[in-house]
Amino acid sequence: MRFTLKDYQADAVGDTLTELADAREFYHGARKRVTSVALTATTGAGKTVMAAGVIEALFWGSEDFDTVVDPGAVVLWFSDDPSLNQQTRHRLEQASDRLRNRLVTVEHPFRYRKLQPGHVYFLNTSKLSRNSLLVRGHDAEGVLPGIESNPDTVPFTFWDTLRNTIEDESTTLYMVLDEAHRGMGRRASDTPTIVKRLINGHSSVPPVPIVWGISATVKRFEDAMSAAEVQDNRVHLRTITVDPVRIQESGLLKDDIVLDFPAETGDFNTVLLRRGVRKVKKLSSAWAEYAVAQKEPDPIEPLLVLQVPNKPSPTEVASAIDVIRNEWPEIGPEAFAHVFGEHTAQTFGGHSVPYISPERVQDATYIRVLLAKDAISTGWDCPRAEVMVSFRPAEDETHITQLLGRMIRTPLARRVEGDDVLNSVECILPRFNKATASRVLEQIMGNDLSETGGGTGQRVLIDPQLMTPNHRIPESVWALFTELPAETLPRKHANPMKRLTSLAHALAADGLVPEAGRIAHDRLHGVLNGLAAQYPQELGKAESDVLTVAGGTVRGHARYGLRADEAWTEAADDRAIQEAFRNATRTVTPDIARSYVDHLAADADDEDVLRDAHVRVAGLAMLPQTRPALDAAADSLSSEWLNKHRVAIKTLSESRQSLYAEITAMSTDPQLISMALPKNRQEETRKVLGEVTEILDQRPLHLLSDEDGMFPVGKLNPDEVQVLDTEIQRGDLLAWYRNPTGGRDSMSIAYQDSHGAWRTLRPDFLFFVGGSDGVRANIVDPHGSWLPDALPKLRGLARFAEVYGESFHRIESISRIDGELRVLDFTLPQVRKVVLDAVDADFAYRESSVAY
């Protein structure tokens, strides 16, 4: 893989591979049951990257996911749109260098009688339509023999190729149904569509063995599978649903969507278009400043998307281009392009605007203004598209919302820590009023369009104000902020040796540990040497097994009905030894296996020494003690390096710090990290109630504030406001911080939910108080005891306080019990014990809390 998978992506890939392995066993078993598996993740989650990880593991195996190669794997990637297939192929090439030469678009003439294992074939609905040359002559009922109309130059159809592939016992066909809700027909009584014929089989073509649906709206896939009447003969194994909260926390998606619309009636196209141009210019300056500060050679070039109706007025579009050119004279005509269905240059007045295919927009950084209709609302994204101005009429809120879903990826594939401006996308709606803008907001945050991140911590803001660092806060508070401990979210499929290798590469590249790779390998070689010395008998037996091939012979006497079983052994040849060595690399990793062979055979020219070294590696890999010992040593060295170079890492650029944060998180246990300083935050300062606009309440001393040192608190619930006011009234408060819902500028604590899965708790408040012993930090988290996640979060706080309690003055959770705010003080051991033993949160509060 070219990309390092995010934690949720790795989990989804691992879970999908497990289900596909079961599906393969179902199909190749005695009953040959056909199956389906579904993967659902919100728009922008990287479904194609996850698919690339799964396909790579099917074709070549994976030590990370403990997956063996499937030598007969064939992937048929199916969608109802050829342009969607083209974009998917482009993304797979970007994600995986190993797949680049294995991607085949099915075109006429297709001369293969069977699909070849180890390849991905792209097919769309039109290629299987009745008149397509790929299938012409397949449905020949009633045609006299000898006059069938086969495709020119090919004596068989693609349906024949598909049948031959499925009937080949050595092959497993996986059909990926991309955007799986499409192409299925509306009712079960409809004439079967092409997709249904693929799934169910028809005529002499058997059903596809394994259907793997990938979609942002998996319910439609499941409904469609039911409508295709496959429930009786196709087993649905599992729907793998990626948690949208984890997607948002990963930093792949922008945190804020800002909506602008006119507050009065009239024609405001020109006024708000100029506003959009000013916003994209401001973002250009902000990205340029960020690139200089981080010493990045190529700053992000933000894109302005101008969305027009499906039948745009040439005069109106020409006028819009004139407005943009007048407001942004630095750009020339080459900075404009369109992605209309008409794939040719379009003329608007005196302007000629060329066509560009959607998948090329991201990399064509010279394009700064993109004209679009609604045809790119599916299957396209452009992370540098950060401002959209829509000339769509007010009733087109769905099209606007869908296009916004294509613009929410972060340009750097990570969050810019603490900077709300660079973590947001802006949408300007000249033809909308407050009511229709509110409907857009509801669609973005509602269940029907959950792919834009509703309920995950992503915010939709209307006319927000920028909060910047409060100059009234003492420097000692800011210094303490960056020293506070926080935790990473553990990963299900973490590989300690891969983590150590990644860390060694990073430390060496930054000059912190110049020979980190050699040091890491030497440490692990020492572990293998120690195992060889500690378990000589077990290792000797394992090496003997590598050097011999065991077999058996059965002899039968037909006349007397006698049977004799005999065992035999043969000496293993070099090919058998190399196969054992290849299997060993799954345990000790290919890099460690190769370097340990070099270590054992250093300066030896004798082939026997090299052969013995391969046998030794294969034998060590067979010992059950080997992998745990290597993992423990890798974790130990990783922790040692991260602790030793923690301060030096903080001096690196933000991109490098983010890389180290990713490496730190590659563990099955919570890992210590420090928080990044917040740079700014966008907050609404007004609330609209009907026709009345209300100014939100404000409080002083927040780390980020307006020019007057105030921060809006109107979005806090009453209990949170009461807690805040109580802390302010204590008299020793130096500063407070409303903890955001994501990013490294947020206090994060790992906890396990009721099912044992790791989650992230982000306490509501940090309070900084002064005293004789200097500045101390407090964690205070108002959270209702009646909520279903209350007890797991309390246990997470108890565990965190046990480990890091000395870094804080107070660690407290607050809930309203019988009308009174009660507090659990986690600095007290007896409180932690009650919480860890409690059956529910309410019991813990009644047993151990005190009045707040």
Side-chain angles (χ1 to χ4, degrees), residues 72-84:
V74 179
V75 176
L76 179 65
W77 194 289
F78 190 91
S79 79
D80 65 350
D81 185 351
S83 64
L84 184 59

Side-chain angles (χ1 to χ4, degrees), residues 656-817:
R656 299 301 292 177
Q657 290 187 54
S658 295
L659 173 63
Y660 283 101
E662 284 281 327
I663 293 171
T664 302
M666 294 167 62
S667 173
T668 54
D669 298 313
Q671 298 293 305
L672 172 67
I673 56 171
S674 55
M675 293 191 294
L677 286 174
K679 300 181 182 70
N680 59 57
R681 187 178 301 178
Q682 296 186 110
E683 291 288 342
E684 291 178 339
T685 58
R686 297 176 297 172
K687 179 170 62 176
V688 178
L689 299 173
E691 298 299 322
V692 179
T693 299
E694 177 183 319
I695 303 297
L696 297 178
D697 286 344
Q698 297 177 314
R699 296 293 186 275
L701 298 180
H702 192 268
L703 291 181
L704 302 172
S705 69
D706 61 17
E707 294 178 354
D708 298 323
M710 305 298 287
F711 184 86
V713 297
K715 290 195 173 182
L716 301 183
N717 65 44
D719 285 354
E720 291 169 343
V721 172
Q722 183 177 340
V723 167
L724 174 58
D725 287 341
T726 301
E727 296 294 331
I728 292 175
Q729 291 163 11
R730 293 185 191 277
D732 57 352
L733 185 67
L734 298 176
W736 65 282
Y737 186 61
R738 172 62 170 174
N739 202 34
T741 56
R744 287 199 300 114
D745 58 329
S746 172
M747 168 60 65
S748 56
I749 297 172
Y751 76 97
Q752 289 180 286
D753 65 17
S754 57
H755 302 290
W758 284 101
R759 304 286 181 179
T760 299
L761 160 64
R762 300 188 186 274
D764 286 336
F765 295 115
L766 291 177
F767 293 106
F768 298 87
V769 297
S772 58
D773 54 352
V775 181
R776 300 296 304 275
N778 301 325
I779 293 176
V780 180
D781 186 35
H783 192 74
S785 61
W786 57 89
L787 296 171
D789 63 352
L791 182 60
K793 286 186 173 180
L794 291 180
R795 288 174 173 168
L797 278 171
R799 182 196 56 78
F800 183 82
E802 183 75 33
V803 180
Y804 302 111
E806 292 184 358
S807 299
F808 297 90
H809 181 223
R810 293 155 51 206
I811 300 178
E812 298 177 348
S813 184
I814 297 173
S815 179
R816 190 170 291 278
I817 304 294

